[in-house]
Amino acid sequence: MKVLLLKLWMAVAAVLLLPTGSPLAHTEPTAPAVGSVLQQLPGASLKKTGDLVRQLEQVGGAEMRPLFEVMLAGDLYYVKESGQLLQIQKNSDGARMGVSLFEGKSLGEFNSRDIKKVRVNNRLRSQLRDAIARIELLHGDEAAQKAAVLAMLDDLNEQNLRLLQTAQQAGVSAEVSTLIELADAMVQLRTSTDTVDRLAAIEAMQGRLETPVRNQLQRLVNSDSEQDVAVVAAAQKALDKISGRMEFYGQMEQLFFGLSLGSVLLLAAIGLAITFGVMGVINMAHGEMIMLGAYTTYVIQQLMPNAIGYSLLVAVPAAFLVSGSVGVLIERGVIRHLQGRPLETLLATFGISLILQQAVRSIFSPLNMQVVTPEWMSGSLAINPVYSITYNRLYILLFALAVFAALVAILKKSSLGLNVRAVSQNRDMAKAMGVRTEMVDAMTFGLGSGIAGVAGVALSQLTNVGPNLGQSYIIDSFMVVVFGGVGNLLGTLVGGFSLGVANKFLEPATGAVLANIIVLVCLILFIQKRPKGLFPQRGRAAE
């Protein structure tokens, strides 16, 4: 009995002696405090709501973030009869579906007469953003902390600065610590009267690309009340440096967009370069092979609605097979009967392109179809505050280079590649050596059409899928092939990226249409000097 009483006394003493900051010491008081504050939200005035938000942040901390985010989005409602708070989301049918705030459980459908919205104005939205930023700063990971500091730069005050300094003392990453020091410099520039301190603050802000930094320096330079000439001169110098860096990253952005366009042109033209180089066929239906690849992607997504992330991986080989098979049928059914008659071949393939377009309109309707971008291709990679790279264009660029490398390996290492190179250099000699040139033509046309279908998969992630999709790229594809050199893959690679980058650098100054015209004129002048392109084809057939 004595032992039992002793253990009970030790347990009671341990609870009583808990430090004030211990989590256990606040477990019991916190829940009732949060509940009592939440009960006051329904029907509260806007001013009182702001006080309640402040109290919830103090007693609830990080657990209040879901509530604040729902409130900021304007989706916070309460049931009139019971006062229960909940999130309201509209489904595709327009029905109001209730969701519990902290568990995320569905509460069923609600009638608009039974619920009422918790009002939020601009002042409350600003307060909620600050509260979310503070929660992320104190309880989030490095990315959340960085985003929180950047959000606070727009509205720096003494309270936020003390919070940032507290977080810095508690331990943050070097990048977050640098941002906190930047915030300290911005406050020092605004509040200090000492010239040396203000110049030191401007030195810390120099070269930074964050918008609040640039805005503060610009206001200082434009201020008529600023009397310190040295501070104004230093601020102007910092602004000039920031402008120089922004211009540099603007050029980098144009370069990336140019490479992105070049990768699309490469995918669209590389199949055409093979068929044109080997068979000498001007295939006006090549754009429709791209279109078929894009529609194959759409169909695959319709068959795999719950696996969009994997549907694109399935669509690549499927599009290759579909477009490649159609290409073989076109070659076997039409083109082989028009061998050596380029004008008739051009007209025949143009007619085939119209047939394919009308077939797609009849099957899928003439309206554009939207292909969903997988989650792993969505968003962008932020290099700095003014320069980011979108994942879909980055993946397409890498994908184009991978397809190019695979095609080069096929043509260099496989027997089909050896036969293709032989036929492209001297068809008659290859036929005399026993190469089945008819089969090589069919396989080459199918390979080029299949790669065009793969290009359609990539294009479906950049634009809507429609019957006229391929027509937008057929002329550019021929330009790339002629510029790089007929039948030369390296020339197609260089030509595609060169034309893409040239277009994107000309567009800001001339506009998209005039940029295309200028590139076309320059290409015509270049062909006058080098009719065989950058990398002319070798062999007797090239004479």
Side-chain angles (χ1 to χ4, degrees):
M1 187 65 178
K2 290 182 179 180
V3 175
L4 182 60
L5 290 173
L6 180 60
K7 288 183 178 180
L8 181 61
W9 169 250
M10 291 176 65
V12 173
V15 174
L16 292 175
L17 293 176
L18 276 174
T20 306
S22 171
L24 290 176
H26 285 285
T27 300
E28 289 303 324
T30 299
V34 170
S36 61
V37 177
L38 287 175
Q39 288 176 1
Q40 302 176 51
L41 267 179
S45 64
L46 289 173
K47 182 179 180 181
K48 187 177 180 182
T49 302
D51 296 334
L52 295 175
V53 167
R54 195 174 299 108
Q55 295 175 36
L56 286 171
E57 183 184 358
Q58 292 173 357
V59 298
E63 296 178 357
M64 294 297 103
R65 178 176 173 176
L67 171 67
F68 293 163
E69 289 178 341
V70 172
M71 200 171 178
L72 181 62
D75 296 333
L76 184 62
Y77 288 74
Y78 65 91
V79 181
K80 293 180 181 179
E81 183 177 348
S82 63
Q84 178 189 5
L85 291 168
L86 71 162
Q87 180 185 3
I88 294 295
Q89 297 176 340
K90 288 187 178 181
N91 60 16
S92 58
D93 299 328
R96 293 174 172 83
M97 307 302 295
V99 180
S100 60
L101 289 174
F102 301 105
E103 296 85 6
K105 296 180 180 178
S106 176
L107 302 177
E109 184 177 351
F110 284 82
N111 194 298
S112 60
R113 295 189 299 270
D114 300 329
I115 56 177
K116 189 172 182 180
K117 187 175 184 178
V118 176
R119 292 189 301 161
V120 179
N121 58 9
N122 289 335
R123 181 183 61 81
L124 266 175
R125 291 188 186 94
S126 177
Q127 182 181 348
L128 288 167
R129 291 191 190 95
D130 291 342
I132 293 171
R134 285 190 290 268
I135 290 173
E136 289 179 342
L137 180 63
L138 295 176
H139 305 282
D141 55 12
E142 181 180 353
Q145 289 177 338
K146 182 180 176 182
V149 179
L150 290 174
M152 288 185 181
L153 292 181
D154 285 318
D155 186 24
L156 278 175
N157 51 48
E158 294 295 334
Q159 179 185 358
N160 287 343
L161 185 59
R162 285 195 300 270
L163 179 64
L164 292 174
Q165 291 170 347
T166 302
Q168 189 176 26
Q169 293 170 2
V172 292
S173 66
E175 188 175 2
V176 176
S177 180
T178 302
L179 286 174
I180 294 176
E181 292 171 359
L182 173 64
D184 185 33
M186 293 175 66
V187 173
Q188 185 177 6
L189 176 62
R190 190 174 62 213
T191 59
S192 177
T193 57
D194 185 73
T195 301
V196 176
D197 291 341
R198 300 182 76 191
L199 290 176
I202 292 176
E203 181 67 25
M205 297 166 65
Q206 192 170 11
R208 302 295 304 193
L209 298 173
E210 289 80 8
T211 302
V213 175
R214 194 166 65 252
N215 291 341
Q216 183 175 355
L217 291 173
Q218 192 66 56
R219 285 194 299 269
L220 178 62
V221 170
N222 296 336
S223 176
D224 296 331
S225 60
E226 180 59 54
Q227 303 297 325
D228 198 326
V229 179
V231 171
V232 173
Q236 184 61 59
K237 182 179 178 182
L239 276 175
D240 293 340
K241 185 174 181 179
I242 292 173
S243 299
R245 291 193 67 194
M246 289 181 64
E247 184 178 353
F248 169 75
Y249 283 113
Q251 297 295 322
M252 292 293 294
E253 186 176 41
Q254 292 297 327
L255 176 61
F256 174 71
F257 284 144
L259 292 176
S260 174
L261 176 60
S263 64
V264 173
L265 294 178
L266 173 64
L267 285 173
I270 192 170
L272 191 64
I274 299 173
T275 56
F276 196 16
V278 173
M279 304 170 61
V281 173
I282 303 176
N283 180 19
M284 296 301 294
H286 188 76
E288 278 55 53
M289 301 298 106
I290 299 174
M291 175 196 67
L292 290 178
Y295 272 100
T296 302
T297 309
Y298 170 75
V299 172
I300 293 294
Q301 285 199 349
Q302 298 304 305
L303 296 175
M304 302 174 62
N306 298 321
I308 297 298
Y310 298 100
S311 64
L312 205 63
L313 303 179
V314 177
V316 171
F320 181 86
L321 292 175
V322 170
S323 297
S325 300
V326 174
V328 171
L329 291 176
I330 292 174
E331 198 282 332
R332 289 287 86 189
V334 178
I335 293 178
R336 76 184 184 96
H337 300 293
L338 301 175
Q339 191 76 35
R341 291 182 284 176
L343 182 59
E344 287 87 340
T345 305
L346 185 149
L347 293 175
T349 53
F350 179 71
I352 292 172
S353 73
L354 296 179
I355 293 172
L356 291 175
Q357 288 181 42
Q358 188 56 47
V360 166
R361 288 190 182 95
S362 300
I363 297 172
F364 296 98
S365 87
L367 301 177
N368 289 338
M369 303 295 175
Q370 186 175 5
V371 175
V372 179
T373 300
E375 186 177 350
W376 53 273
M377 287 187 69
S378 303
S380 60
L381 175 64
I383 308 299
N384 55 49
V386 297
Y387 179 47
S388 60
I389 295 175
T390 54
Y391 284 123
N392 60 345
R393 293 183 179 275
L394 179 61
Y395 282 126
I396 289 173
L397 174 59
L398 298 176
F399 178 67
L401 294 176
V403 171
F404 177 82
L407 185 59
V408 170
I410 290 174
L411 294 180
K412 294 290 185 182
K413 303 296 183 181
S414 67
S415 58
L416 173 63
L418 178 63
N419 291 335
V420 167
R421 285 183 284 129
V423 173
S424 65
Q425 292 181 11
N426 195 319
R427 175 178 291 270
D428 294 335
M429 183 61 72
K431 192 171 185 178
M433 296 295 294
V435 176
R436 298 177 60 187
T437 56
E438 296 83 1
M439 184 60 65
V440 171
D441 288 342
M443 296 300 294
T444 302
F445 205 88
L447 179 62
S449 300
I451 295 174
V454 171
V457 178
L459 281 173
S460 69
Q461 302 304 305
L462 298 177
T463 184
N464 290 327
V465 176
N468 298 322
L469 173 65
Q471 295 298 308
S472 304
Y473 293 92
I474 183 65
I475 301 301
D476 290 335
S477 299
F478 277 110
M479 288 171 57
V480 170
V481 171
V482 173
F483 176 58
V486 176
N488 191 293
L489 294 183
L490 178 61
T492 305
L493 175 71
V494 175
F497 284 122
S498 299
L499 294 181
V501 171
N503 262 294
K504 288 303 177 182
F505 273 96
L506 286 172
E507 279 182 8
T510 62
V513 176
L514 187 56
N516 286 330
I517 294 173
I518 293 174
V519 169
L520 179 60
V521 171
C522 292
L523 181 60
I524 293 172
L525 295 176
F526 174 81
I527 295 301
Q528 293 296 317
K529 295 293 183 181
R530 291 180 64 96
K532 296 182 180 179
L534 284 173
F535 301 94
Q537 190 181 30
R538 297 177 181 178
R540 293 183 180 180
E543 296 297 331

